[in-house]
Amino acid sequence: MKLLRTILSLALITSALSGCAFIHSFDKDLDSKIQQWLSEHEYSKALDALSHVRPGHSQYSQLQKRKIEVQQAADRFEKIKLREIGAHIKAQDWQAAESSLNYGMAKLPDSEKLQAAYNDFIKQRAHYLKGLYYQIYINKAELHLKNQDVKQE
């Protein structure tokens, strides 16, 4: 019985979270809501809501055109973020690159290109850090060799 209650509560929570976009799709003023989301770079929210709009909606044809615009805006945002992240990585500004990645992935969580950029970022940063650690070991070894004469005295 407890298992059944747990399963039902999890199903209810899951349906409630995914239902927000579905509920917005019935909104009469969905176009202004989408405009607000675009200004906030919330492309995934807008696309989710637009994906639930059905042919019976009073503004269906207008919203389908809007869906294309939102997708194009999301693609432009993704390209800008990728270019920005690449510039930060090239300059070895790891904090700014990670901030840009986190912001981009928060606004477009389903973007495969941003996921790939994040994986590439992790690899390049790890390589950079490994080089720094090696340089520290080299510096310690050089210092140890310089101090050999002092140790012998």
Side-chain angles (χ1 to χ4, degrees):
M1 192 65 170
K2 287 184 180 181
L3 179 64
L4 182 61
R5 267 191 246 154
T6 306
I7 291 172
L8 285 176
S9 62
L10 286 175
L12 181 63
I13 291 170
T14 305
S15 66
L17 291 177
S18 64
C20 291
F22 181 70
I23 291 169
H24 282 298
S25 69
F26 292 108
D27 192 359
K28 295 283 184 206
D29 199 22
L30 182 58
D31 194 45
S32 66
K33 181 67 91 174
I34 290 171
Q35 186 61 38
Q36 177 188 355
W37 285 331
L38 284 176
S39 66
E40 296 170 356
H41 301 288
E42 296 289 346
Y43 303 108
S44 62
K45 285 183 183 179
L47 289 171
D48 285 344
L50 287 169
S51 69
H52 290 290
V53 173
R54 298 292 169 231
H57 195 279
S58 61
Q59 300 173 334
Y60 180 75
S61 61
Q62 178 187 359
L63 291 174
Q64 290 305 308
K65 291 177 186 175
R66 194 74 158 144
K67 185 177 181 179
I68 293 169
E69 293 173 15
V70 171
Q71 186 61 52
Q72 290 172 346
D75 291 341
R76 282 192 304 272
F77 176 79
E78 182 182 60
K79 285 180 186 177
I80 290 168
K81 281 295 161 189
L82 289 171
R83 205 172 22 233
E84 183 180 303
I85 292 162
H88 288 309
I89 289 174
K90 188 174 181 180
Q92 294 181 342
D93 188 0
W94 305 107
Q95 184 64 37
E98 187 172 24
S99 295
S100 292
L101 271 165
N102 289 337
Y103 182 76
M105 289 175 65
K107 300 303 178 182
L108 289 173
D110 298 330
S111 172
E112 292 177 9
K113 291 180 182 178
L114 286 173
Q115 282 289 339
Y118 184 74
N119 292 336
D120 186 46
F121 163 76
I122 294 296
K123 288 178 186 174
Q124 288 187 28
R125 185 178 65 176
H127 179 72
Y128 175 76
L129 290 174
K130 187 182 272 188
L132 288 178
Y133 288 129
Y134 287 152
Q135 190 60 47
I136 288 171
Y137 292 135
I138 290 170
N139 291 346
K140 283 182 180 180
E142 287 175 351
L143 184 63
H144 184 66
L145 288 175
K146 287 179 183 176
N147 289 336
Q148 278 295 6
D149 296 334
V150 175
K151 285 182 181 180
Q152 287 178 356
E153 284 183 26

